[in-house]
Amino acid sequence: MTNKEYIAALSQKVGMSAEATQRMVSHVIDAMGQCFEGGDAVSIPNFGTFEVKKRMERVIVNPASGQRMLVPPKLVLGFKPAISLKNKLRSGGRDDE
């Protein structure tokens, strides 16, 4: 699904114009980005949790040359799906309630 298709479907579902829906989605994404910059997690009920994780420094080996290199620590964005979403995907999209 492209961004344009997503906005069209969402605007139709909430009864707003496509432009207003695009602004709303942009504001939500901006707010999530600000939370991530602060190191906070964002939890969306029945969907999952986005969280910033720190990946520790590690040593890697170049397979071609055998040279060892140090990869510095960095922050990565992780996603943990909600149990209800996991179960729904495992069952092929059917609700198992």
Side-chain angles (χ1 to χ4, degrees):
M1 176 178 267
T2 66
N3 183 52
K4 194 173 194 176
E5 293 169 340
Y6 172 71
I7 295 298
L10 185 60
S11 67
Q12 194 172 39
K13 190 165 192 154
V14 297
M16 296 171 59
S17 70
E19 295 81 21
T21 304
Q22 178 66 47
R23 283 193 305 274
M24 178 184 66
V25 169
S26 293
H27 290 307
V28 168
I29 292 172
D30 289 342
M32 289 174 69
Q34 290 174 358
C35 288
F36 299 144
E37 288 173 4
D40 298 329
V42 175
S43 181
I44 302 172
N46 298 321
F47 185 70
T49 303
F50 294 92
E51 60 185 349
V52 178
K53 298 178 182 179
K54 184 173 184 178
R55 184 173 283 174
M56 302 304 286
E57 72 180 4
R58 63 190 196 280
V59 176
I60 62 169
V61 178
N62 182 336
S65 66
Q67 181 183 9
R68 296 167 58 94
M69 297 181 289
L70 182 67
V71 177
K74 63 180 177 179
L75 298 176
V76 294
L77 185 61
F79 175 72
K80 182 178 179 184
I83 293 172
S84 60
L85 179 63
K86 275 183 169 179
N87 292 338
K88 190 173 183 178
L89 292 174
R90 284 187 187 138
S91 66
R94 297 183 313 273
D95 286 327
D96 289 338
E97 295 183 47

